Amino acid sequence: MGRSKRIIAVALALAAMLLPTAAMADDTGLTLDLGVEKKVSKKFSVGLDTEFRTRNDFLTVDHVTAAVSGKYKVTKWFKLEAGYQFLVINHREHLSLHDDGSYNNWRPSYYSTSHRVSAAVNGDVDLGRFNVALRERWQYTYRPEHSTTRYDFDNEYMEDCQVHAKGKHVLRSRLKLEYNIPHCKFTPAVSVEAYTGSSLEKTRFVVGGSYTHKKHHSFELGYHYQLYNHTVKPEAINTHHIVMGYAYKF
């Protein structure tokens, strides 16, 4: 093996040794959301939305999405929702090991696309100045087959590999509590949301609020903590996120 290949192999080995250590710490990122919503009738509205999310202490793009959705207000307290989302995802680098603990291969981070459809039911009730809302959302995400590269430690070279197509069903159950402050346009809120596939995969805790200006402009600011079930996803990293959003409604 030539000198340049030895340098590459050593660098990759050092990076691989650092991955398990980095995986032990929580990650931090930023979520930016921009949307527009049009009220078609008294009960029906449609919306467009885009989201930009970072990770790795705000330094790395995690994903970018574009979505279209529709909402139907059955009653004052009960709503239906459906939508489609296109995702561009930046996958984290991954290190696999042999059964004896030695390095097998290392895959650098890479981008891929996915498609997601969802349907949800929303119910809420007012308890004085408090509003309690429960949302049950089913979503199906399809990731098309694509190719990437990885480093094979046994043979000491980069190789092409195929990532097979995959579909996944998830049920998202969210309980949200809002408080209506007298004579104030800012509404604080807290929520907890469970993501369940074949079993509970992760839980998201959110604290924040929204501010409405002249009925058309809605601003959101919050913080959420995403806690993974590491029995199901041992490689997943818990994340802290600052969330900022804006929506125009007309």
Side-chain angles (χ1 to χ4, degrees):
M1 182 173 61
R3 182 179 178 183
S4 60
K5 291 185 178 180
R6 289 195 187 96
I7 293 174
I8 294 173
V10 170
L12 290 174
L14 289 173
M17 286 187 287
L18 290 174
L19 281 174
T21 302
M24 298 298 292
D26 288 356
D27 198 0
T28 307
L30 175 69
T31 298
L32 300 176
D33 189 86
L34 180 64
V36 59
E37 185 175 318
K38 167 65 176 177
K39 193 171 184 179
V40 179
S41 67
K42 187 176 181 180
K43 291 189 174 184
F44 182 65
S45 63
V46 294
L48 297 173
D49 183 86
T50 182
E51 182 182 273
F52 174 81
R53 182 176 296 181
T54 67
R55 63 170 189 264
N56 189 27
D57 295 332
F58 307 103
L59 299 176
T60 305
V61 175
D62 185 73
H63 70 240
V64 180
T65 68
V68 58
S69 63
K71 300 178 182 178
Y72 183 77
K73 188 175 182 180
V74 181
T75 66
K76 182 179 179 180
W77 57 270
F78 184 69
K79 301 175 185 177
L80 302 176
E81 181 180 348
Y84 164 78
Q85 192 175 37
F86 177 74
L87 304 93
V88 179
I89 302 170
N90 182 10
H91 298 269
R92 293 180 184 271
E93 55 186 327
H94 177 71
L95 172 69
S96 65
L97 305 175
H98 291 296
D99 293 337
D100 61 1
S102 60
Y103 298 128
N104 178 21
N105 57 63
W106 172 76
R107 187 202 66 204
S109 61
Y110 71 97
Y111 285 92
S112 74
T113 60
S114 291
H115 306 272
R116 176 176 294 167
V117 292
S118 64
V121 292
N122 302 265
D124 69 275
V125 58
D126 288 323
L127 302 173
R129 291 199 169 274
F130 289 95
N131 178 271
V132 182
L134 176 64
R135 184 187 69 190
E136 294 288 346
R137 173 181 289 172
W138 162 84
Q139 69 180 34
Y140 174 75
T141 306
Y142 176 74
R143 182 194 67 198
E145 182 176 353
H146 56 277
S147 61
T148 184
T149 59
R150 65 186 180 189
Y151 181 78
D152 188 321
F153 283 95
D154 296 327
N155 298 306
E156 299 182 337
Y157 63 75
M158 296 294 292
E159 62 181 0
D160 295 327
C161 62
Q162 290 295 117
V163 180
H164 297 297
K166 182 180 180 181
K168 183 178 181 181
H169 298 270
V170 172
L171 178 65
R172 298 171 53 176
S173 305
R174 188 189 71 181
L175 181 64
K176 184 177 182 180
L177 176 66
E178 292 182 331
Y179 180 69
N180 181 13
I181 302 174
H183 312 293
C184 182
K185 295 182 179 181
F186 178 76
T187 303
V190 294
S191 68
V192 58
E193 185 171 13
Y195 291 65
T196 306
S198 56
S199 60
L200 177 64
E201 296 181 354
K202 63 183 178 182
T203 306
R204 177 182 290 178
F205 303 91
V206 180
V207 58
S210 59
Y211 176 83
T212 302
H213 178 63
K214 294 183 178 180
K215 296 183 180 181
H216 297 296
H217 308 276
S218 178
F219 301 88
E220 179 187 3
L221 179 65
Y223 157 82
H224 78 230
Y225 179 62
Q226 198 155 267
L227 177 66
Y228 284 88
N229 180 356
H230 292 100
T231 303
V232 178
K233 290 189 171 184
E235 78 286 355
I237 301 175
N238 300 333
T239 56
H240 304 266
H241 267 264
I242 296 173
V243 181
M244 294 186 289
Y246 168 76
Y248 179 76
K249 301 180 180 181
F250 64 102

